Amino acid sequence: MATLIRPPPVNENQSHIENVLELTELTDIDPDLFTNTRPMWHPPGARGIFGGAAIAQTLSAAQKTIPADFTVHSMHCYFVLAGNAEIPIIYHVERVRSGKSFATRTVQARQRGKVIFTTTMSFVRQNSGGEKLVEHTYPMPDVPDPEEGMDDLDTHGNDKGPFQSQRLEILNDNSPFPHTKKCRQWMKARGTISPEGGHEAHLSAIAYMSDSYFIGTIARVHKLWRYSTQRKNKSKSSIDEDVLKKLLAMDDAELKRQKFLDEADIKRIQRVRNGESLRKDNTPEIGMMVSLDHTIYFHNPRNFRADEWIFTEMETTWAGDGRGLVFQRMYTRNGTLIASCVQEGLVRLKQTDGTPKL
């Protein structure tokens, strides 16, 4: 059973992402206890549920326990175990501190009594900084606008998911130095977020979207082969033999619109289509790619809409010892910086003697 209580009908007055992230309050048991209202999404090839959902639902649960004039400004998350989409998730909010200017909440997500995800969040009272402020921001780069009807396509047929995206070319993609490259895209929540959702729904939505192939930045800047020819490959963001066959049947124009399929991947697919063996490619293949932790710093948290186009730019400063570190900035279309994100993840290459499990 994927939910503790039978899911209600989809609320047509809410956006897709609001329905996906909806929580059920278990007030008869504990006023600080919540559970997922609808089944969680398990991305094909991933070890568990989409991490962005756990990030967003823990934020949503915490937001229900704070005063209306407080807003989240940071959250620090750890992915402990892979979430099972077939089992309900119980979210427990601990009210660590409720002060005059700041409030702290810790949320644990559990399945069958085991913690699968934990986060600590800090909330700040609106306009508590005073009249005189120290201000600066990292400017948004000059990039092409999103194009109508040119959203990324999903090989798995999930083109009607809770958010839509349009990738841009990787900046400095031909550089021999991975740290100089920047992975960029536009994204927004599908449809219109309801007025009843308030600013909380928009914050939960960007929290959800912030995990969209974030650690995958490492694979993209190193041009690692993410599409395994082995059936039932279970590494994150890998594709098994069946999906590879679908990609091989596509023309180049359709390939370029596939989510997270980069120029290096397309060239390899073209070579396979021409009868060449991937074994001759000698490109390292990912054995396992898993998010370990995730941090979001929210800026201007009540001055944006998640259902309008948001530009994101991702880069990496380091990879080694089977891990990698990535950074992300999120901007409104008019250039307002609304969030800064950091993630460390496990990035292990496929070894000839087999990749060790977690």
Side-chain angles (χ1 to χ4, degrees), residues 88-100:
I89 299 177
I90 302 297
Y91 298 101
H92 179 257
V93 181
E94 182 178 354
R95 307 186 188 216
V96 179
R97 178 178 182 268
S98 296
K100 293 182 178 179

Side-chain angles (χ1 to χ4, degrees), residues 14-212:
Q14 293 182 334
S15 63
H16 189 173
I17 202 163
E18 288 176 275
N19 277 281
V20 166
L21 298 178
E22 185 178 353
L23 292 176
T24 298
E25 299 182 24
L26 303 175
T27 50
D28 289 344
I29 302 174
D30 186 326
D32 295 329
L33 217 56
F34 306 83
T35 187
N36 56 300
T37 302
R38 306 183 191 281
M40 307 293 278
W41 177 49
H42 185 144
R47 296 177 65 251
I49 62 171
F50 176 54
I55 298 169
Q57 287 195 325
T58 51
L59 172 58
S60 180
Q63 288 180 137
K64 296 179 183 297
T65 70
I66 61 165
D69 60 342
F70 278 68
T71 312
V72 66
H73 69 87
S74 69
M75 66 184 301
H76 305 270
C77 317
Y78 285 91
F79 299 93
V80 181
L81 294 171
N84 189 333
E86 300 301 318
I87 302 173
I89 299 177
I90 302 297
Y91 298 101
H92 179 257
V93 181
E94 182 178 354
R95 307 186 188 216
V96 179
R97 178 178 182 268
S98 296
K100 293 182 178 179
S101 295
F102 290 91
T104 305
R105 299 290 185 267
T106 293
V107 185
Q108 286 191 345
R110 292 177 175 264
Q111 286 185 320
R112 291 181 174 170
K114 293 184 177 180
V115 176
I116 64 168
F117 179 88
T118 183
T119 178
T120 297
M121 286 165 266
S122 183
F123 297 79
V124 63
R125 184 168 54 83
Q126 286 295 103
N127 303 316
S128 61
E131 294 184 4
K132 295 182 179 180
L133 302 172
V134 176
E135 296 181 297
H136 76 272
T137 188
Y138 193 100
M140 174 178 162
D142 186 16
V143 295
D145 288 332
E147 298 181 42
E148 187 68 30
M150 291 302 293
D151 291 355
D152 295 336
L153 302 176
D154 194 321
T155 312
H156 303 283
N158 192 38
D159 296 326
K160 299 300 181 183
F163 70 94
Q164 52 199 104
S165 62
Q166 292 186 18
R167 285 178 303 121
L168 301 176
E169 291 185 0
I170 297 176
L171 187 66
N172 300 323
D173 193 29
N174 293 322
S175 169
F177 306 109
H179 70 275
T180 65
K181 303 180 183 183
K182 297 182 189 296
C183 299
R184 307 168 301 169
Q185 67 177 338
W186 289 98
M187 60 173 62
K188 68 173 179 176
R190 196 177 299 278
T192 303
I193 293 177
S194 67
E196 292 74 20
H199 70 275
E200 294 91 347
H202 293 272
L203 287 164
S204 294
I206 67 165
Y208 183 94
M209 295 187 290
S210 71
D211 193 40
S212 175

Side-chain angles (χ1 to χ4, degrees), residues 215 218 222 292 316-326 344-349:
I215 193 60
I218 303 290
H222 280 272
L292 295 174
T316 174
T317 58
W318 176 87
D321 196 27
R323 305 189 315 281
L325 187 66
V326 288
E344 186 179 38
L346 191 76
V347 185
R348 291 180 180 171
L349 297 180

